[in-house]
PDB file of all heavy atoms in Angstrom:
ATOM      1  N   LYS I   1      -7.201   4.940   0.574  1.00  0.00           N
ATOM      2  CA  LYS I   1      -8.241   4.234   1.322  1.00  0.00           C
ATOM      3  C   LYS I   1      -9.559   4.156   0.552  1.00  0.00           C
ATOM      4  O   LYS I   1     -10.299   3.188   0.694  1.00  0.00           O
ATOM      5  CB  LYS I   1      -8.486   4.915   2.672  1.00  0.00           C
ATOM      6  CG  LYS I   1      -7.411   4.649   3.691  1.00  0.00           C
ATOM      7  CD  LYS I   1      -7.764   5.304   5.012  1.00  0.00           C
ATOM      8  CE  LYS I   1      -6.745   4.936   6.076  1.00  0.00           C
ATOM      9  NZ  LYS I   1      -7.082   5.538   7.373  1.00  0.00           N
ATOM     10  N   ASN I   2      -9.853   5.179  -0.252  1.00  0.00           N
ATOM     11  CA  ASN I   2     -11.179   5.282  -0.855  1.00  0.00           C
ATOM     12  C   ASN I   2     -11.246   5.108  -2.363  1.00  0.00           C
ATOM     13  O   ASN I   2     -12.335   5.085  -2.922  1.00  0.00           O
ATOM     14  CB  ASN I   2     -11.783   6.643  -0.485  1.00  0.00           C
ATOM     15  CG  ASN I   2     -11.900   6.808   1.010  1.00  0.00           C
ATOM     16  OD1 ASN I   2     -12.423   5.944   1.696  1.00  0.00           O
ATOM     17  ND2 ASN I   2     -11.381   7.911   1.534  1.00  0.00           N
ATOM     18  N   THR I   3     -10.121   4.992  -3.039  1.00  0.00           N
ATOM     19  CA  THR I   3     -10.155   4.933  -4.491  1.00  0.00           C
ATOM     20  C   THR I   3     -10.919   3.714  -5.006  1.00  0.00           C
ATOM     21  O   THR I   3     -10.866   2.641  -4.405  1.00  0.00           O
ATOM     22  CB  THR I   3      -8.731   4.933  -5.090  1.00  0.00           C
ATOM     23  OG1 THR I   3      -8.835   4.972  -6.509  1.00  0.00           O
ATOM     24  CG2 THR I   3      -7.945   3.702  -4.679  1.00  0.00           C
ATOM     25  N   SER I   4     -11.605   3.903  -6.100  1.00  0.00           N
ATOM     26  CA  SER I   4     -12.293   2.783  -6.751  1.00  0.00           C
ATOM     27  C   SER I   4     -11.379   2.122  -7.786  1.00  0.00           C
ATOM     28  O   SER I   4     -11.756   1.155  -8.429  1.00  0.00           O
ATOM     29  CB  SER I   4     -13.576   3.276  -7.422  1.00  0.00           C
ATOM     30  OG  SER I   4     -13.252   4.242  -8.424  1.00  0.00           O
ATOM     31  N   CYS I   5     -10.167   2.641  -7.923  1.00  0.00           N
ATOM     32  CA  CYS I   5      -9.222   2.113  -8.919  1.00  0.00           C
ATOM     33  C   CYS I   5      -8.559   0.815  -8.476  1.00  0.00           C
ATOM     34  O   CYS I   5      -8.124   0.030  -9.313  1.00  0.00           O
ATOM     35  CB  CYS I   5      -8.145   3.147  -9.224  1.00  0.00           C
ATOM     36  SG  CYS I   5      -8.803   4.651  -9.947  1.00  0.00           S
ATOM     37  N   PHE I   6      -8.477   0.580  -7.165  1.00  0.00           N
ATOM     38  CA  PHE I   6      -7.825  -0.629  -6.677  1.00  0.00           C
ATOM     39  C   PHE I   6      -8.739  -1.835  -6.843  1.00  0.00           C
ATOM     40  O   PHE I   6      -9.944  -1.767  -6.595  1.00  0.00           O
ATOM     41  CB  PHE I   6      -7.467  -0.512  -5.193  1.00  0.00           C
ATOM     42  CG  PHE I   6      -6.210   0.262  -4.918  1.00  0.00           C
ATOM     43  CD1 PHE I   6      -6.087   0.979  -3.747  1.00  0.00           C
ATOM     44  CD2 PHE I   6      -5.146   0.264  -5.800  1.00  0.00           C
ATOM     45  CE1 PHE I   6      -4.935   1.682  -3.462  1.00  0.00           C
ATOM     46  CE2 PHE I   6      -3.989   0.966  -5.528  1.00  0.00           C
ATOM     47  CZ  PHE I   6      -3.881   1.685  -4.360  1.00  0.00           C
ATOM     48  N   HIS I   7      -8.114  -2.936  -7.218  1.00  0.00           N
ATOM     49  CA  HIS I   7      -8.799  -4.223  -7.290  1.00  0.00           C
ATOM     50  C   HIS I   7      -7.953  -5.237  -6.528  1.00  0.00           C
ATOM     51  O   HIS I   7      -6.748  -5.041  -6.344  1.00  0.00           O
ATOM     52  CB  HIS I   7      -8.968  -4.665  -8.746  1.00  0.00           C
ATOM     53  CG  HIS I   7      -9.711  -3.661  -9.573  1.00  0.00           C
ATOM     54  ND1 HIS I   7     -11.054  -3.424  -9.426  1.00  0.00           N
ATOM     55  CD2 HIS I   7      -9.278  -2.817 -10.537  1.00  0.00           C
ATOM     56  CE1 HIS I   7     -11.427  -2.477 -10.270  1.00  0.00           C
ATOM     57  NE2 HIS I   7     -10.366  -2.087 -10.956  1.00  0.00           N
ATOM     58  N   GLU I   8      -8.576  -6.301  -6.103  1.00  0.00           N
ATOM     59  CA  GLU I   8      -7.852  -7.323  -5.361  1.00  0.00           C
ATOM     60  C   GLU I   8      -6.632  -7.789  -6.153  1.00  0.00           C
ATOM     61  O   GLU I   8      -6.701  -7.979  -7.362  1.00  0.00           O
ATOM     62  CB  GLU I   8      -8.786  -8.504  -5.088  1.00  0.00           C
ATOM     63  CG  GLU I   8      -8.215  -9.497  -4.114  1.00  0.00           C
ATOM     64  CD  GLU I   8      -9.241 -10.521  -3.668  1.00  0.00           C
ATOM     65  OE1 GLU I   8     -10.428 -10.189  -3.554  1.00  0.00           O
ATOM     66  OE2 GLU I   8      -8.817 -11.662  -3.438  1.00  0.00           O
ATOM     67  N   ASN I   9      -5.519  -7.940  -5.450  1.00  0.00           N
ATOM     68  CA  ASN I   9      -4.223  -8.374  -5.997  1.00  0.00           C
ATOM     69  C   ASN I   9      -3.508  -7.310  -6.820  1.00  0.00           C
ATOM     70  O   ASN I   9      -2.518  -7.611  -7.481  1.00  0.00           O
ATOM     71  CB  ASN I   9      -4.351  -9.669  -6.800  1.00  0.00           C
ATOM     72  CG  ASN I   9      -4.816 -10.813  -5.934  1.00  0.00           C
ATOM     73  OD1 ASN I   9      -4.371 -10.957  -4.800  1.00  0.00           O
ATOM     74  ND2 ASN I   9      -5.734 -11.607  -6.454  1.00  0.00           N
ATOM     75  N   ASP I  10      -3.984  -6.070  -6.800  1.00  0.00           N
ATOM     76  CA  ASP I  10      -3.222  -4.978  -7.404  1.00  0.00           C
ATOM     77  C   ASP I  10      -1.975  -4.733  -6.558  1.00  0.00           C
ATOM     78  O   ASP I  10      -1.873  -5.219  -5.429  1.00  0.00           O
ATOM     79  CB  ASP I  10      -4.042  -3.683  -7.449  1.00  0.00           C
ATOM     80  CG  ASP I  10      -4.969  -3.624  -8.654  1.00  0.00           C
ATOM     81  OD1 ASP I  10      -4.865  -4.501  -9.529  1.00  0.00           O
ATOM     82  OD2 ASP I  10      -5.783  -2.693  -8.714  1.00  0.00           O
ATOM     83  N   ILE I  11      -1.056  -3.975  -7.109  1.00  0.00           N
ATOM     84  CA  ILE I  11       0.137  -3.597  -6.356  1.00  0.00           C
ATOM     85  C   ILE I  11       0.262  -2.082  -6.335  1.00  0.00           C
ATOM     86  O   ILE I  11      -0.216  -1.400  -7.241  1.00  0.00           O
ATOM     87  CB  ILE I  11       1.424  -4.232  -6.928  1.00  0.00           C
ATOM     88  CG1 ILE I  11       1.684  -3.760  -8.354  1.00  0.00           C
ATOM     89  CG2 ILE I  11       1.383  -5.737  -6.838  1.00  0.00           C
ATOM     90  CD1 ILE I  11       3.043  -4.113  -8.891  1.00  0.00           C
ATOM     91  N   LEU I  12       0.902  -1.587  -5.295  1.00  0.00           N
ATOM     92  CA  LEU I  12       1.189  -0.166  -5.164  1.00  0.00           C
ATOM     93  C   LEU I  12       2.685  -0.022  -4.916  1.00  0.00           C
ATOM     94  O   LEU I  12       3.212  -0.568  -3.946  1.00  0.00           O
ATOM     95  CB  LEU I  12       0.406   0.452  -4.000  1.00  0.00           C
ATOM     96  CG  LEU I  12       0.706   1.922  -3.700  1.00  0.00           C
ATOM     97  CD1 LEU I  12       0.214   2.804  -4.851  1.00  0.00           C
ATOM     98  CD2 LEU I  12       0.057   2.343  -2.398  1.00  0.00           C
ATOM     99  N   ILE I  13       3.361   0.677  -5.811  1.00  0.00           N
ATOM    100  CA  ILE I  13       4.782   0.944  -5.643  1.00  0.00           C
ATOM    101  C   ILE I  13       4.895   2.317  -4.997  1.00  0.00           C
ATOM    102  O   ILE I  13       4.563   3.322  -5.612  1.00  0.00           O
ATOM    103  CB  ILE I  13       5.529   0.910  -6.994  1.00  0.00           C
ATOM    104  CG1 ILE I  13       5.308  -0.436  -7.677  1.00  0.00           C
ATOM    105  CG2 ILE I  13       7.018   1.182  -6.769  1.00  0.00           C
ATOM    106  CD1 ILE I  13       5.844  -0.495  -9.099  1.00  0.00           C
ATOM    107  N   ASN I  14       5.327   2.328  -3.751  1.00  0.00           N
ATOM    108  CA  ASN I  14       5.405   3.570  -2.973  1.00  0.00           C
ATOM    109  C   ASN I  14       6.739   4.269  -3.149  1.00  0.00           C
ATOM    110  O   ASN I  14       7.761   3.634  -3.366  1.00  0.00           O
ATOM    111  CB  ASN I  14       5.231   3.289  -1.480  1.00  0.00           C
ATOM    112  CG  ASN I  14       3.806   3.050  -1.096  1.00  0.00           C
ATOM    113  OD1 ASN I  14       2.899   3.608  -1.671  1.00  0.00           O
ATOM    114  ND2 ASN I  14       3.606   2.204  -0.125  1.00  0.00           N
ATOM    115  N   ASP I  15       6.695   5.571  -2.976  1.00  0.00           N
ATOM    116  CA  ASP I  15       7.908   6.361  -2.901  1.00  0.00           C
ATOM    117  C   ASP I  15       8.369   6.338  -1.444  1.00  0.00           C
ATOM    118  O   ASP I  15       7.569   6.159  -0.532  1.00  0.00           O
ATOM    119  CB  ASP I  15       7.590   7.799  -3.326  1.00  0.00           C
ATOM    120  CG  ASP I  15       8.805   8.558  -3.784  1.00  0.00           C
ATOM    121  OD1 ASP I  15       9.913   8.005  -3.717  1.00  0.00           O
ATOM    122  OD2 ASP I  15       8.644   9.705  -4.206  1.00  0.00           O
ATOM    123  N   MET I  16       9.653   6.536  -1.211  1.00  0.00           N
ATOM    124  CA  MET I  16      10.204   6.479   0.142  1.00  0.00           C
ATOM    125  C   MET I  16       9.557   7.506   1.073  1.00  0.00           C
ATOM    126  O   MET I  16       9.424   7.274   2.263  1.00  0.00           O
ATOM    127  CB  MET I  16      11.715   6.699   0.096  1.00  0.00           C
ATOM    128  CG  MET I  16      12.421   6.269   1.354  1.00  0.00           C
ATOM    129  SD  MET I  16      14.199   6.436   1.262  1.00  0.00           S
ATOM    130  CE  MET I  16      14.635   5.329  -0.036  1.00  0.00           C
ATOM    131  N   GLU I  17       9.141   8.634   0.528  1.00  0.00           N
ATOM    132  CA  GLU I  17       8.537   9.673   1.369  1.00  0.00           C
ATOM    133  C   GLU I  17       7.202   9.238   1.952  1.00  0.00           C
ATOM    134  O   GLU I  17       6.709   9.822   2.892  1.00  0.00           O
ATOM    135  CB  GLU I  17       8.331  10.963   0.566  1.00  0.00           C
ATOM    136  CG  GLU I  17       9.616  11.700   0.256  1.00  0.00           C
ATOM    137  CD  GLU I  17      10.360  11.134  -0.948  1.00  0.00           C
ATOM    138  OE1 GLU I  17       9.718  10.547  -1.845  1.00  0.00           O
ATOM    139  OE2 GLU I  17      11.591  11.265  -0.983  1.00  0.00           O
ATOM    140  N   PHE I  18       6.592   8.213   1.380  1.00  0.00           N
ATOM    141  CA  PHE I  18       5.269   7.792   1.820  1.00  0.00           C
ATOM    142  C   PHE I  18       5.304   6.491   2.618  1.00  0.00           C
ATOM    143  O   PHE I  18       4.363   5.727   2.602  1.00  0.00           O
ATOM    144  CB  PHE I  18       4.342   7.655   0.616  1.00  0.00           C
ATOM    145  CG  PHE I  18       4.090   8.966  -0.052  1.00  0.00           C
ATOM    146  CD1 PHE I  18       4.730   9.290  -1.235  1.00  0.00           C
ATOM    147  CD2 PHE I  18       3.248   9.892   0.519  1.00  0.00           C
ATOM    148  CE1 PHE I  18       4.508  10.507  -1.851  1.00  0.00           C
ATOM    149  CE2 PHE I  18       3.030  11.116  -0.087  1.00  0.00           C
ATOM    150  CZ  PHE I  18       3.664  11.418  -1.269  1.00  0.00           C
ATOM    151  N   LEU I  19       6.405   6.263   3.320  1.00  0.00           N
ATOM    152  CA  LEU I  19       6.520   5.077   4.155  1.00  0.00           C
ATOM    153  C   LEU I  19       5.486   5.111   5.267  1.00  0.00           C
ATOM    154  O   LEU I  19       5.375   6.087   5.997  1.00  0.00           O
ATOM    155  CB  LEU I  19       7.899   5.031   4.807  1.00  0.00           C
ATOM    156  CG  LEU I  19       9.049   4.545   3.954  1.00  0.00           C
ATOM    157  CD1 LEU I  19      10.357   4.771   4.691  1.00  0.00           C
ATOM    158  CD2 LEU I  19       8.889   3.102   3.614  1.00  0.00           C
ATOM    159  N   SER I  20       4.732   4.039   5.390  1.00  0.00           N
ATOM    160  CA  SER I  20       3.765   3.947   6.472  1.00  0.00           C
ATOM    161  C   SER I  20       3.403   2.487   6.672  1.00  0.00           C
ATOM    162  O   SER I  20       2.788   1.868   5.797  1.00  0.00           O
ATOM    163  CB  SER I  20       2.502   4.750   6.147  1.00  0.00           C
ATOM    164  OG  SER I  20       1.482   4.450   7.061  1.00  0.00           O
ATOM    165  N   ARG I  21       3.809   1.926   7.798  1.00  0.00           N
ATOM    166  CA  ARG I  21       3.474   0.535   8.108  1.00  0.00           C
ATOM    167  C   ARG I  21       1.976   0.389   8.254  1.00  0.00           C
ATOM    168  O   ARG I  21       1.388  -0.593   7.805  1.00  0.00           O
ATOM    169  CB  ARG I  21       4.207   0.114   9.391  1.00  0.00           C
ATOM    170  CG  ARG I  21       3.969  -1.325   9.797  1.00  0.00           C
ATOM    171  CD  ARG I  21       4.500  -2.287   8.753  1.00  0.00           C
ATOM    172  NE  ARG I  21       4.831  -3.567   9.333  1.00  0.00           N
ATOM    173  CZ  ARG I  21       4.406  -4.722   8.844  1.00  0.00           C
ATOM    174  NH1 ARG I  21       3.654  -4.768   7.772  1.00  0.00           N
ATOM    175  NH2 ARG I  21       4.764  -5.848   9.416  1.00  0.00           N
ATOM    176  N   GLU I  22       1.342   1.381   8.854  1.00  0.00           N
ATOM    177  CA  GLU I  22      -0.108   1.333   9.040  1.00  0.00           C
ATOM    178  C   GLU I  22      -0.829   1.289   7.699  1.00  0.00           C
ATOM    179  O   GLU I  22      -1.787   0.539   7.526  1.00  0.00           O
ATOM    180  CB  GLU I  22      -0.587   2.533   9.873  1.00  0.00           C
ATOM    181  CG  GLU I  22      -0.201   2.472  11.334  1.00  0.00           C
ATOM    182  CD  GLU I  22       1.251   2.880  11.632  1.00  0.00           C
ATOM    183  OE1 GLU I  22       1.985   3.290  10.705  1.00  0.00           O
ATOM    184  OE2 GLU I  22       1.649   2.760  12.790  1.00  0.00           O
ATOM    185  N   MET I  23      -0.355   2.086   6.718  1.00  0.00           N
ATOM    186  CA  MET I  23      -1.000   2.095   5.405  1.00  0.00           C
ATOM    187  C   MET I  23      -0.744   0.781   4.671  1.00  0.00           C
ATOM    188  O   MET I  23      -1.643   0.250   4.021  1.00  0.00           O
ATOM    189  CB  MET I  23      -0.524   3.281   4.575  1.00  0.00           C
ATOM    190  CG  MET I  23      -1.210   3.391   3.216  1.00  0.00           C
ATOM    191  SD  MET I  23      -3.028   3.444   3.267  1.00  0.00           S
ATOM    192  CE  MET I  23      -3.309   5.056   3.935  1.00  0.00           C
ATOM    193  N   ALA I  24       0.452   0.238   4.785  1.00  0.00           N
ATOM    194  CA  ALA I  24       0.747  -1.067   4.162  1.00  0.00           C
ATOM    195  C   ALA I  24      -0.164  -2.145   4.747  1.00  0.00           C
ATOM    196  O   ALA I  24      -0.702  -2.980   4.006  1.00  0.00           O
ATOM    197  CB  ALA I  24       2.218  -1.430   4.357  1.00  0.00           C
ATOM    198  N   ASN I  25      -0.362  -2.120   6.070  1.00  0.00           N
ATOM    199  CA  ASN I  25      -1.279  -3.068   6.723  1.00  0.00           C
ATOM    200  C   ASN I  25      -2.698  -2.884   6.205  1.00  0.00           C
ATOM    201  O   ASN I  25      -3.380  -3.852   5.862  1.00  0.00           O
ATOM    202  CB  ASN I  25      -1.269  -2.872   8.238  1.00  0.00           C
ATOM    203  CG  ASN I  25       0.027  -3.287   8.892  1.00  0.00           C
ATOM    204  OD1 ASN I  25       0.803  -4.054   8.343  1.00  0.00           O
ATOM    205  ND2 ASN I  25       0.277  -2.747  10.073  1.00  0.00           N
ATOM    206  N   TYR I  26      -3.156  -1.630   6.185  1.00  0.00           N
ATOM    207  CA  TYR I  26      -4.522  -1.338   5.746  1.00  0.00           C
ATOM    208  C   TYR I  26      -4.764  -1.815   4.307  1.00  0.00           C
ATOM    209  O   TYR I  26      -5.770  -2.463   4.021  1.00  0.00           O
ATOM    210  CB  TYR I  26      -4.797   0.169   5.847  1.00  0.00           C
ATOM    211  CG  TYR I  26      -6.179   0.539   5.371  1.00  0.00           C
ATOM    212  CD1 TYR I  26      -7.262   0.479   6.233  1.00  0.00           C
ATOM    213  CD2 TYR I  26      -6.401   0.933   4.047  1.00  0.00           C
ATOM    214  CE1 TYR I  26      -8.539   0.798   5.798  1.00  0.00           C
ATOM    215  CE2 TYR I  26      -7.670   1.250   3.603  1.00  0.00           C
ATOM    216  CZ  TYR I  26      -8.732   1.178   4.477  1.00  0.00           C
ATOM    217  OH  TYR I  26      -9.994   1.478   4.038  1.00  0.00           O
ATOM    218  N   LEU I  27      -3.843  -1.489   3.420  1.00  0.00           N
ATOM    219  CA  LEU I  27      -4.022  -1.863   2.019  1.00  0.00           C
ATOM    220  C   LEU I  27      -4.051  -3.377   1.843  1.00  0.00           C
ATOM    221  O   LEU I  27      -4.853  -3.906   1.065  1.00  0.00           O
ATOM    222  CB  LEU I  27      -2.931  -1.242   1.151  1.00  0.00           C
ATOM    223  CG  LEU I  27      -3.025   0.275   0.981  1.00  0.00           C
ATOM    224  CD1 LEU I  27      -1.800   0.813   0.259  1.00  0.00           C
ATOM    225  CD2 LEU I  27      -4.299   0.666   0.235  1.00  0.00           C
ATOM    226  N   LYS I  28      -3.203  -4.083   2.558  1.00  0.00           N
ATOM    227  CA  LYS I  28      -3.156  -5.543   2.444  1.00  0.00           C
ATOM    228  C   LYS I  28      -4.416  -6.186   3.024  1.00  0.00           C
ATOM    229  O   LYS I  28      -5.007  -7.071   2.407  1.00  0.00           O
ATOM    230  CB  LYS I  28      -1.904  -6.072   3.155  1.00  0.00           C
ATOM    231  CG  LYS I  28      -1.750  -7.576   3.126  1.00  0.00           C
ATOM    232  CD  LYS I  28      -1.351  -8.063   1.765  1.00  0.00           C
ATOM    233  CE  LYS I  28      -1.058  -9.572   1.809  1.00  0.00           C
ATOM    234  NZ  LYS I  28      -0.612 -10.069   0.529  1.00  0.00           N
ATOM    235  N   ILE I  29      -4.826  -5.745   4.210  1.00  0.00           N
ATOM    236  CA  ILE I  29      -5.960  -6.373   4.894  1.00  0.00           C
ATOM    237  C   ILE I  29      -7.304  -5.921   4.319  1.00  0.00           C
ATOM    238  O   ILE I  29      -8.150  -6.739   3.988  1.00  0.00           O
ATOM    239  CB  ILE I  29      -5.898  -6.087   6.410  1.00  0.00           C
ATOM    240  CG1 ILE I  29      -4.654  -6.741   7.020  1.00  0.00           C
ATOM    241  CG2 ILE I  29      -7.159  -6.576   7.112  1.00  0.00           C
ATOM    242  CD1 ILE I  29      -4.329  -6.266   8.425  1.00  0.00           C
ATOM    243  N   GLN I  30      -7.492  -4.624   4.209  1.00  0.00           N
ATOM    244  CA  GLN I  30      -8.798  -4.090   3.807  1.00  0.00           C
ATOM    245  C   GLN I  30      -9.020  -4.064   2.294  1.00  0.00           C
ATOM    246  O   GLN I  30     -10.104  -4.368   1.823  1.00  0.00           O
ATOM    247  CB  GLN I  30      -8.981  -2.675   4.371  1.00  0.00           C
ATOM    248  CG  GLN I  30      -8.890  -2.583   5.865  1.00  0.00           C
ATOM    249  CD  GLN I  30      -9.960  -3.393   6.576  1.00  0.00           C
ATOM    250  OE1 GLN I  30     -11.093  -3.481   6.121  1.00  0.00           O
ATOM    251  NE2 GLN I  30      -9.590  -4.006   7.682  1.00  0.00           N
ATOM    252  N   ARG I  31      -7.988  -3.672   1.556  1.00  0.00           N
ATOM    253  CA  ARG I  31      -8.147  -3.509   0.104  1.00  0.00           C
ATOM    254  C   ARG I  31      -7.585  -4.687  -0.690  1.00  0.00           C
ATOM    255  O   ARG I  31      -7.770  -4.776  -1.878  1.00  0.00           O
ATOM    256  CB  ARG I  31      -7.458  -2.223  -0.366  1.00  0.00           C
ATOM    257  CG  ARG I  31      -7.892  -0.927   0.300  1.00  0.00           C
ATOM    258  CD  ARG I  31      -9.369  -0.566   0.099  1.00  0.00           C
ATOM    259  NE  ARG I  31      -9.841  -0.574  -1.248  1.00  0.00           N
ATOM    260  CZ  ARG I  31      -9.915   0.489  -2.063  1.00  0.00           C
ATOM    261  NH1 ARG I  31      -9.533   1.670  -1.630  1.00  0.00           N
ATOM    262  NH2 ARG I  31     -10.386   0.370  -3.275  1.00  0.00           N
ATOM    263  N   ARG I  32      -6.832  -5.555  -0.030  1.00  0.00           N
ATOM    264  CA  ARG I  32      -6.176  -6.703  -0.677  1.00  0.00           C
ATOM    265  C   ARG I  32      -5.206  -6.259  -1.773  1.00  0.00           C
ATOM    266  O   ARG I  32      -5.093  -6.865  -2.831  1.00  0.00           O
ATOM    267  CB  ARG I  32      -7.199  -7.681  -1.250  1.00  0.00           C
ATOM    268  CG  ARG I  32      -8.275  -8.093  -0.277  1.00  0.00           C
ATOM    269  CD  ARG I  32      -8.004  -9.471   0.273  1.00  0.00           C
ATOM    270  NE  ARG I  32      -9.138 -10.014   0.992  1.00  0.00           N
ATOM    271  CZ  ARG I  32      -9.268  -9.957   2.306  1.00  0.00           C
ATOM    272  NH1 ARG I  32      -8.373  -9.344   3.019  1.00  0.00           N
ATOM    273  NH2 ARG I  32     -10.287 -10.497   2.916  1.00  0.00           N
ATOM    274  N   VAL I  33      -4.504  -5.164  -1.477  1.00  0.00           N
ATOM    275  CA  VAL I  33      -3.514  -4.588  -2.387  1.00  0.00           C
ATOM    276  C   VAL I  33      -2.140  -4.740  -1.745  1.00  0.00           C
ATOM    277  O   VAL I  33      -1.965  -4.437  -0.563  1.00  0.00           O
ATOM    278  CB  VAL I  33      -3.826  -3.091  -2.649  1.00  0.00           C
ATOM    279  CG1 VAL I  33      -2.698  -2.407  -3.394  1.00  0.00           C
ATOM    280  CG2 VAL I  33      -5.138  -2.949  -3.410  1.00  0.00           C
ATOM    281  N   ASN I  34      -1.172  -5.219  -2.506  1.00  0.00           N
ATOM    282  CA  ASN I  34       0.192  -5.376  -2.009  1.00  0.00           C
ATOM    283  C   ASN I  34       1.005  -4.122  -2.269  1.00  0.00           C
ATOM    284  O   ASN I  34       0.854  -3.489  -3.316  1.00  0.00           O
ATOM    285  CB  ASN I  34       0.875  -6.572  -2.681  1.00  0.00           C
ATOM    286  CG  ASN I  34       0.363  -7.881  -2.132  1.00  0.00           C
ATOM    287  OD1 ASN I  34       0.479  -8.144  -0.945  1.00  0.00           O
ATOM    288  ND2 ASN I  34      -0.228  -8.702  -2.991  1.00  0.00           N
ATOM    289  N   THR I  35       1.863  -3.778  -1.319  1.00  0.00           N
ATOM    290  CA  THR I  35       2.705  -2.594  -1.463  1.00  0.00           C
ATOM    291  C   THR I  35       4.164  -2.997  -1.618  1.00  0.00           C
ATOM    292  O   THR I  35       4.605  -4.019  -1.102  1.00  0.00           O
ATOM    293  CB  THR I  35       2.577  -1.658  -0.244  1.00  0.00           C
ATOM    294  OG1 THR I  35       2.879  -2.386   0.935  1.00  0.00           O
ATOM    295  CG2 THR I  35       1.191  -1.073  -0.137  1.00  0.00           C
ATOM    296  N   TYR I  36       4.895  -2.172  -2.353  1.00  0.00           N
ATOM    297  CA  TYR I  36       6.342  -2.295  -2.535  1.00  0.00           C
ATOM    298  C   TYR I  36       6.938  -0.975  -2.073  1.00  0.00           C
ATOM    299  O   TYR I  36       6.573   0.078  -2.601  1.00  0.00           O
ATOM    300  CB  TYR I  36       6.689  -2.547  -4.004  1.00  0.00           C
ATOM    301  CG  TYR I  36       6.321  -3.940  -4.462  1.00  0.00           C
ATOM    302  CD1 TYR I  36       5.002  -4.306  -4.679  1.00  0.00           C
ATOM    303  CD2 TYR I  36       7.314  -4.884  -4.670  1.00  0.00           C
ATOM    304  CE1 TYR I  36       4.676  -5.583  -5.097  1.00  0.00           C
ATOM    305  CE2 TYR I  36       7.000  -6.170  -5.096  1.00  0.00           C
ATOM    306  CZ  TYR I  36       5.676  -6.508  -5.304  1.00  0.00           C
ATOM    307  OH  TYR I  36       5.355  -7.776  -5.711  1.00  0.00           O
ATOM    308  N   ILE I  37       7.831  -1.038  -1.083  1.00  0.00           N
ATOM    309  CA  ILE I  37       8.333   0.179  -0.449  1.00  0.00           C
ATOM    310  C   ILE I  37       9.848   0.085  -0.268  1.00  0.00           C
ATOM    311  O   ILE I  37      10.336  -0.903   0.291  1.00  0.00           O
ATOM    312  CB  ILE I  37       7.682   0.379   0.943  1.00  0.00           C
ATOM    313  CG1 ILE I  37       6.160   0.341   0.853  1.00  0.00           C
ATOM    314  CG2 ILE I  37       8.155   1.675   1.581  1.00  0.00           C
ATOM    315  CD1 ILE I  37       5.462   0.250   2.195  1.00  0.00           C
ATOM    316  N   PRO I  38      10.604   1.097  -0.681  1.00  0.00           N
ATOM    317  CA  PRO I  38      12.034   1.099  -0.370  1.00  0.00           C
ATOM    318  C   PRO I  38      12.233   1.507   1.092  1.00  0.00           C
ATOM    319  O   PRO I  38      11.624   2.456   1.566  1.00  0.00           O
ATOM    320  CB  PRO I  38      12.603   2.153  -1.315  1.00  0.00           C
ATOM    321  CG  PRO I  38      11.459   3.092  -1.534  1.00  0.00           C
ATOM    322  CD  PRO I  38      10.207   2.267  -1.460  1.00  0.00           C
ATOM    323  N   ALA I  39      13.067   0.776   1.794  1.00  0.00           N
ATOM    324  CA  ALA I  39      13.329   1.101   3.201  1.00  0.00           C
ATOM    325  C   ALA I  39      14.404   2.178   3.287  1.00  0.00           C
ATOM    326  O   ALA I  39      15.342   2.189   2.502  1.00  0.00           O
ATOM    327  CB  ALA I  39      13.772  -0.145   3.956  1.00  0.00           C
ATOM    328  N   ARG I  40      14.256   3.072   4.246  1.00  0.00           N
ATOM    329  CA  ARG I  40      15.280   4.090   4.500  1.00  0.00           C
ATOM    330  C   ARG I  40      16.466   3.464   5.221  1.00  0.00           C
ATOM    331  O   ARG I  40      16.302   2.514   5.987  1.00  0.00           O
ATOM    332  CB  ARG I  40      14.712   5.209   5.356  1.00  0.00           C
ATOM    333  CG  ARG I  40      13.710   6.064   4.647  1.00  0.00           C
ATOM    334  CD  ARG I  40      13.380   7.298   5.496  1.00  0.00           C
ATOM    335  NE  ARG I  40      12.325   8.058   4.877  1.00  0.00           N
ATOM    336  CZ  ARG I  40      11.130   8.251   5.398  1.00  0.00           C
ATOM    337  NH1 ARG I  40      10.823   7.753   6.575  1.00  0.00           N
ATOM    338  NH2 ARG I  40      10.223   8.959   4.756  1.00  0.00           N
ATOM    339  N   GLU I  41      17.637   4.050   5.018  1.00  0.00           N
ATOM    340  CA  GLU I  41      18.861   3.532   5.648  1.00  0.00           C
ATOM    341  C   GLU I  41      18.778   3.490   7.160  1.00  0.00           C
ATOM    342  O   GLU I  41      19.367   2.622   7.799  1.00  0.00           O
ATOM    343  CB  GLU I  41      20.060   4.398   5.251  1.00  0.00           C
ATOM    344  CG  GLU I  41      20.489   4.243   3.824  1.00  0.00           C
ATOM    345  CD  GLU I  41      21.656   5.155   3.480  1.00  0.00           C
ATOM    346  OE1 GLU I  41      22.302   5.688   4.406  1.00  0.00           O
ATOM    347  OE2 GLU I  41      21.922   5.330   2.284  1.00  0.00           O
TER     348      GLU I  41
END
């Protein structure tokens, strides 16, 4: 949420342990960062 490393149109490749729809929403809307997440079975 607070890093200065993100820039608009950056991507974040998440690990499965960090699945969070709320965080994916926040990053896309507030930080303009796209996430890539593997879905659990």
